[in-house]
Amino acid sequence: MSEQQIKITLAQLNPTVGDVTGNAAKARAARDKAKADGADLVVLSELFIAGYPPEDLVLKPAFQSACRAAIEELARETEDGGPAMLIGTPWVEDGKLYNACALLDGGRIAALRFKANLPNYGVFDEKRLFARGPASGPVTVRGVRIGVPICEDIWLEESEDYENVVECLAETGAEILIVPNGSPYARDKADLRLLIVVARVTESGLPLVYLNEVGGQDELIFDGASFALNADLSVAAQLPAFEENITTLTWRKTADGWRCNGPITAQLEGDKADYAACVLGLRDYVRKNGFPGVLLGVSGGIDSALCAAIAVDALGADKVRGVMLPFRYTAQVSLDDAAKLAAALGIRYEILPIADAVNGFETILAPVFKGLERDITEENLQARARGTLLMAISNKTGAMVVTTGNKSEMSVGYATLYGDMNGGFNPIKDIYKTEVFRLSSLRNAWKPDGALGPSGEVIPVNIIIRPPTAELRENQTDQDSLPPYEVLDAILERLVEREEPLATIIEAGFDRDVVTRVDRLLNIAEYKRRQAAPGVKVTRKNFGRDRRYPITNRFRDFGKALPEPDEKLVTRTSRASAEAFEG
């Protein structure tokens, strides 16, 4: 390193949880690239060697030992005089487990820094896994003092439980802040990250490198989109989103401190980012779990059409199989549209009529159902016959069944357990029906970089404009059972994402009867959601990771105005701590 510059390589990579050997190999390859670039330091993301988030896997002593052994081996390799490495790892010290970042240099573990602020909200659950680390000073790399706050160390608001790690680093002489992150994607998250980083740079007066993981891990998508800000808040570098990237930045010391002018990549926003997240989530779920491909029921409807397009973009047409499973209520237009979709995407496609299966079930059940009226039970037999056949093909071929229900359906239970809910993963589980329409139209006009599907119109326009229907009875449409999707989704967004009281939603202009009915459906469908396949998270609050309600739950919001709390009933001793009564 010359006296006035330091080269830092950002390794925005896609680790796999539990693949310690594979993750170490990725880190090793990144260091080789950094060495070729003449870098002084290569940086990897939070808990990289373990994969993030490792959840309770990180509590296994054998896993902790494997991670440490890999870190020690990587440390020994830095004896070659090449770049130092800053890498995230679980670390046990004095009987406590920490979320750590290790500086490897000169053939040894030169320094360790432990995460001080542990997130315990939304998708995060770190307080039950890790001990809090102390706020520590910077580490030194080639004579430059580098501050290493880890992810949440720059995120938390001031509180009694908050450790101001950045303030501590600034006061102890840090010159550049490098923040390894495991920050999952959510809609508009990039704006929030930038806001947080701007606040930390403003407070500290230091440039900041924000390095994020990329890739899918179960429901979570990590979008990468790593970036750096100079101390004057100008953008020093911006890496691409939703793809691996290794970029070496040259930082030069000026009269005003360290500064960098690196590459700046335009970012995906809005619906384009959501679509790219769905593609990446499905791709990594399939590949990391070792499935040879996927199959899905293709109904001629918009949900399965969008899922088929996402699957082809994620995996390639040769790894996607579409199956049409018609019954007597399946319209010819559905058959035609499904065939056009399959042809446009170039996927394997077959038709398996289900009449024999459904009629067989009804024959078997006839003695049990004698004297009872036909109802939704017979409709559900159709969905369950389809689910059984798809799962049979999955068992025989090893291909994973893609589930195709959208968030509107999952919210109100407009889905059949052990029928259309069968499957291993759902790329549109967190996408409302109105958004399904938008993403379908978007995909016909655009496809993300790296997508493996064809360009142009891949979803027949008739599928997009035709009224949605489950085709479980004559002339059925979704709106026979549900409010218009524009109304339904607007109410659901307020109930699910915002947790608004019914009174507030009604005051906003929504019909009271519709709101109370939607809320009731949302509540009683919880048992179905508990049995649903995992799926990509794109909103602030998805089902499963974020929104966890009890199935057995008698509380109901009846839409009445909320009563004001009566502070007169709360005495001083009510708020007193238990310690005040000791002795």
Side-chain angles (χ1 to χ4, degrees):
M1 184 197 78
S2 70
E3 200 169 310
Q4 296 295 313
Q5 75 173 30
I6 183 171
K7 288 188 173 183
I8 301 172
T9 298
L10 307 187
Q12 177 180 289
L13 299 177
N14 186 348
T16 298
V17 168
D19 186 9
V20 178
T21 301
N23 296 339
K26 278 181 171 285
R28 193 171 286 114
R31 185 171 181 269
D32 289 343
K33 173 69 164 60
K35 186 176 182 179
D37 289 347
D40 301 290
L41 173 67
V42 57
V43 184
L44 295 110
S45 54
E46 180 179 12
L47 289 177
F48 183 86
I49 203 70
Y52 188 83
E55 301 184 72
D56 284 11
L57 176 63
V58 80
L59 299 176
K60 292 180 72 71
F63 183 66
Q64 297 165 2
S65 177
C67 290
R68 179 162 184 153
I71 292 295
E72 291 173 346
E73 179 61 29
L74 289 170
R76 283 189 282 269
E77 292 171 11
T78 62
E79 195 172 15
D80 64 2
M85 176 183 289
L86 197 61
I87 183 169
T89 181
W91 194 264
V92 178
E93 189 160 298
D94 297 328
K96 294 181 178 179
L97 176 64
Y98 294 97
N99 181 335
C101 200
L103 176 66
L104 315 181
D105 196 18
R108 63 193 181 94
I109 299 172
L112 286 162
R113 291 296 180 265
F114 302 144
K115 191 173 182 177
N117 296 309
L118 302 174
N120 215 54
Y121 56 87
V123 303
F124 303 106
D125 196 19
E126 290 197 25
K127 286 185 178 180
R128 64 183 291 271
L129 300 174
F130 299 106
R132 290 190 66 181
S136 304
V139 301
T140 301
V141 179
R142 309 299 189 265
V144 181
R145 293 172 68 80
I146 304 292
V148 190
I150 302 172
C151 197
E152 194 75 8
D153 286 341
I154 71 168
W155 280 75
L156 276 183
E157 297 296 328
E158 296 284 353
S159 69
E160 290 183 7
D161 197 38
Y162 175 78
E163 188 77 58
N164 196 325
V165 177
V166 171
E167 181 180 65
C168 177
L169 288 166
E171 290 175 351
T172 51
E175 300 172 68
I176 301 172
L177 299 175
I178 296 179
V179 189
N181 286 268
S183 178
Y185 171 79
R187 204 170 288 158
D188 302 323
K189 186 76 166 286
D191 293 339
L192 178 58
R193 290 178 189 142
L194 182 59
L195 187 67
I196 294 294
V197 169
V198 165
R200 301 296 88 82
V201 171
T202 301
E203 292 165 5
S204 65
L206 299 174
L208 188 151
V209 176
Y210 186 98
L211 177 73
N212 195 24
E213 174 181 338
V214 69
Q217 171 58 28
D218 296 342
E219 302 100 323
L220 300 182
I221 309 303
F222 298 89
D223 52 321
S226 305
F227 64 98
L229 292 188
N230 291 309
D232 63 2
L233 301 182
S234 61
V235 179
Q238 174 67 69
L239 273 56
F242 303 108
E243 62 183 68
E244 291 190 312
N245 183 276
I246 300 177
T247 294
T248 299
L249 304 178
T250 300
W251 291 83
R252 292 182 172 84
K253 194 169 186 180
T254 69
D256 298 321
W258 291 93
R259 186 175 184 85
C260 172
N261 293 301
I264 297 175
T265 304
Q267 299 296 289
L268 296 178
E269 298 178 343
D271 289 342
K272 288 184 177 181
D274 284 355
Y275 187 89
C278 292
V279 170
L280 178 57
L282 180 60
R283 175 184 294 149
D284 273 3
Y285 193 85
V286 170
R287 290 183 177 177
K288 290 181 178 181
N289 285 292
F291 293 105
V294 300
L295 71 144
L296 71 162
V298 177
S299 67
I302 194 165
D303 295 325
S304 62
L306 179 60
C307 287
I310 290 170
V312 171
D313 283 343
L315 306 169
D318 61 320
K319 290 182 170 57
V320 181
R321 181 175 189 170
V323 185
M324 163 56 90
L325 299 151
F327 191 53
R328 62 173 172 266
Y329 304 122
T330 304
Q332 185 61 46
V333 65
S334 298
L335 290 160
D336 294 343
D337 286 344
K340 290 176 183 176
L341 171 78
L345 290 171
I347 63 174
R348 177 175 178 177
Y349 174 70
E350 51 223 328
I351 300 173
L352 302 178
I354 64 169
D356 288 347
V358 175
N359 293 336
F361 282 134
E362 291 202 21
T363 298
I364 294 169
L365 290 166
V368 181
F369 289 176
K370 186 176 182 180
L372 301 176
E373 295 291 327
R374 293 181 68 86
D375 57 16
I376 197 171
T377 305
E378 284 76 18
E379 293 182 15
N380 286 340
L381 284 177
Q382 299 167 49
R384 290 182 173 129
R386 292 182 173 113
T388 298
L389 293 172
L390 290 174
M391 290 305 299
I393 299 171
S394 174
N395 288 163
K396 185 65 70 174
T397 65
M400 184 194 76
V401 177
V402 170
T403 313
T404 63
N406 59 69
K407 190 171 187 177
S408 306
E409 294 173 349
M410 294 305 303
S411 296
V412 297
Y414 194 65
T416 304
L417 274 175
Y418 324 119
D420 55 317
M421 289 179 64
N422 276 6
F425 194 78
N426 184 347
I428 64 168
K429 183 179 179 180
D430 205 26
I431 303 289
Y432 286 115
K433 186 75 169 192
T434 49
E435 296 163 348
V436 169
F437 284 105
R438 289 209 314 266
L439 293 186
S440 297
S441 295
L442 170 68
R443 179 56 182 86
N444 279 348
W446 163 90
K447 72 170 183 176
D449 292 342
L452 302 177
S455 300
E457 183 183 300
V458 294
I459 299 177
V461 173
N462 193 56
I463 289 178
I464 299 174
I465 64 175
R466 185 181 171 210
T469 172
E471 293 191 318
L472 297 177
R473 60 178 181 270
E474 288 289 354
N475 301 316
Q476 181 189 30
T477 67
D478 291 2
Q479 303 317 186
D480 296 340
S481 306
L482 301 173
Y485 280 115
E486 293 78 8
V487 175
L488 176 64
D489 290 355
I491 293 171
L492 287 172
E493 195 274 336
R494 289 170 176 266
L495 286 171
V496 176
E497 273 80 34
R498 303 189 211 177
E499 297 274 15
E500 287 186 0
L502 268 59
T504 302
I505 302 173
I506 293 164
E507 287 171 7
F510 293 92
D511 181 82
R512 174 180 289 274
D513 290 342
V514 174
V515 172
T516 54
R517 177 170 172 251
V518 171
D519 181 63
R520 176 181 175 276
L521 292 172
L522 178 65
N523 283 313
I524 64 176
E526 185 63 35
Y527 79 100
K528 288 187 178 182
R529 290 190 290 270
R530 289 287 183 95
Q531 301 180 67
V536 175
K537 168 183 159 62
V538 301
T539 66
R540 289 183 299 169
K541 190 166 288 189
N542 77 328
F543 293 122
R545 283 273 186 172
D546 291 306
R547 189 182 190 277
R548 291 172 281 185
Y549 270 58
I551 297 173
T552 305
N553 168 24
R554 288 196 175 184
F555 176 78
R556 294 296 180 264
D557 178 353
F558 296 104
K560 298 177 182 178
L562 302 181
E564 292 294 326
D566 189 346
E567 290 292 336
K568 295 177 181 178
L569 297 177
V570 184
T571 65
R572 280 179 61 90
T573 54
S574 297
R575 294 193 177 95
S577 66
E579 289 80 3
F581 296 94
E582 289 182 357

